[in-house]
Amino acid sequence: MSEWTNERAIERWGTMPRKLLEDMAHDGDYAKRHLVNPVLLRLLGDVAGRRILDAGCGGGYLSRMLAARGAEVVGVEPGRSLFEFAAEREATAPQGIRYVRADLCDLPDLCDLPDLCDRFDAVVSSMVLPVIPDWTGAMRACVEHLRPGGLFVFTVNHPCFEQLAPTWRAHGEYRTRRYLAEYEIPGPSGANFHRPLSAYLNQLAALGCRLTEVAEPGLPPETPDAVEAYIHLPNFLIVAATTA
Ligand SMILES: C[S@@+](CC[C@H](N)C(=O)[O-])C[C@H]1O[C@@H](n2cnc3c(N)ncnc32)[C@H](O)[C@@H]1O
């Protein structure tokens, strides 16, 4: 773990191939479509006219979904290929989304953007905190960019059931040997880092947030091509909280 820095993690994520970004451009991948997006949209509520920061927006699919529903969206993304893909989509099919290439732990003053101050009605950060070595700094930045009473929603791979689908395929059940320590989970696009569930929730409390909902979505069994593991166990943890 100690050899990881934000810069190194960003460099690795920033090489994500264009084909993968194109495949996810509309509404993400299978798991996002069936498990994450419906909960995120429900928790964010009616976004029309609301200012939303998509913190770690990747190729920008969620930013585009929110802008299509009337939100004023700023997407922050430091990875080169992801940022370029999101910006290119905005250039070819403008929705008024502003993209900023930056590390969440080192955000420029967003007030420099035309018509924008640095306080948002909502900050959404989907599958981002688990890829950032300095995740506590990133979570702090998310909360600090909310207006008083603003909504923070984040998603992570469920820390109790990481690598759920491949483990289930191999054993017909979920197995793990490690939980309490922080460790790296290498992936094809970049590294993820396991941290216990309590780490995320306690950091939220330390930042003065009030937890409003924790969701552990499961797949309805009647879903076409249902992944069996996702019917029985939650692949994601989705947390909503508000600032004081
Ligand atoms: C698993 S992807 C999720 C992307 C997007 N939120 C989505 O759901 O499709 C993780 C994203 O976090 C970005 N990321 C990595 N380090 C970051 C940092 N320090 N600040 C902001 N984003 C970061 C990566 O470049 C990548 O786009």
Side-chain angles (χ1 to χ4, degrees):
M1 263 312 301
S2 56
E3 73 277 15
W4 278 98
T5 59
N6 279 19
E7 292 70 25
R8 194 174 148 219
I10 289 165
E11 198 179 321
R12 178 87 171 75
W13 278 97
T15 60
M16 190 180 281
R18 189 175 174 89
K19 169 77 174 74
L20 202 54
L21 291 165
E22 276 167 0
D23 290 347
M24 295 189 298
H26 181 60
D27 55 0
D29 57 13
Y30 175 93
K32 298 252 174 76
R33 199 170 306 131
H34 291 291
L35 295 167
V36 175
N37 299 344
V39 180
L40 278 183
L41 293 175
R42 176 178 64 74
L43 290 171
L44 288 166
D46 181 3
V47 297
R50 292 172 71 212
R51 295 145 56 103
I52 301 188
L53 180 69
D54 186 359
C57 63
Y61 92 85
L62 184 60
S63 294
R64 289 187 292 276
M65 286 179 85
L66 295 172
R69 288 163 173 76
E72 256 186 71
V73 182
V74 174
V76 169
E77 171 55 47
R80 185 186 49 77
S81 65
L82 299 120
F83 173 83
E84 286 173 359
F85 184 83
E88 189 185 304
R89 284 270 157 155
E90 176 61 24
T92 50
Q95 292 180 282
I97 304 169
R98 274 161 297 181
Y99 290 107
V100 178
R101 186 171 177 191
D103 179 338
L104 278 174
C105 297
D106 191 18
L107 272 181
D109 188 349
L110 298 180
C111 292
D112 290 346
L113 294 175
D115 309 321
L116 197 76
C117 157
D118 64 350
R119 290 283 181 267
F120 291 81
D121 297 308
V123 174
V124 60
S125 191
S126 187
M127 310 305 295
V128 175
L129 296 173
V131 314
I132 304 183
D134 180 11
W135 68 275
T136 57
M139 189 189 270
R140 188 180 324 110
C142 290
V143 172
E144 284 176 356
H145 281 80
L146 281 168
R147 65 163 170 76
L151 177 66
F152 178 39
V153 183
F154 71 89
T155 78
V156 296
N157 278 313
H158 200 306
C160 303
F161 304 106
E162 269 151 348
Q163 298 177 292
L164 173 56
T167 306
W168 189 280
R169 268 199 302 277
H171 305 292
E173 62 184 7
Y174 184 69
R175 291 186 193 176
T176 188
R177 295 174 67 85
R178 291 193 286 178
Y179 178 76
L180 292 173
E182 185 174 15
Y183 56 86
E184 178 191 343
I185 304 170
S189 305
N192 275 257
F193 304 101
H194 165 84
R195 291 136 193 155
L197 172 55
S198 55
Y200 291 108
L201 299 184
N202 288 334
Q203 176 66 6
L204 201 60
L207 290 166
C209 292
R210 191 176 68 84
L211 193 62
T212 54
E213 185 168 336
V214 175
E216 298 176 298
L219 204 58
E222 63 277 12
T223 310
D225 303 323
V227 174
E228 192 190 358
Y230 297 165
I231 297 172
H232 303 292
L233 295 172
N235 194 46
F236 300 102
L237 180 77
I238 306 177
V239 177
T242 54
T243 52

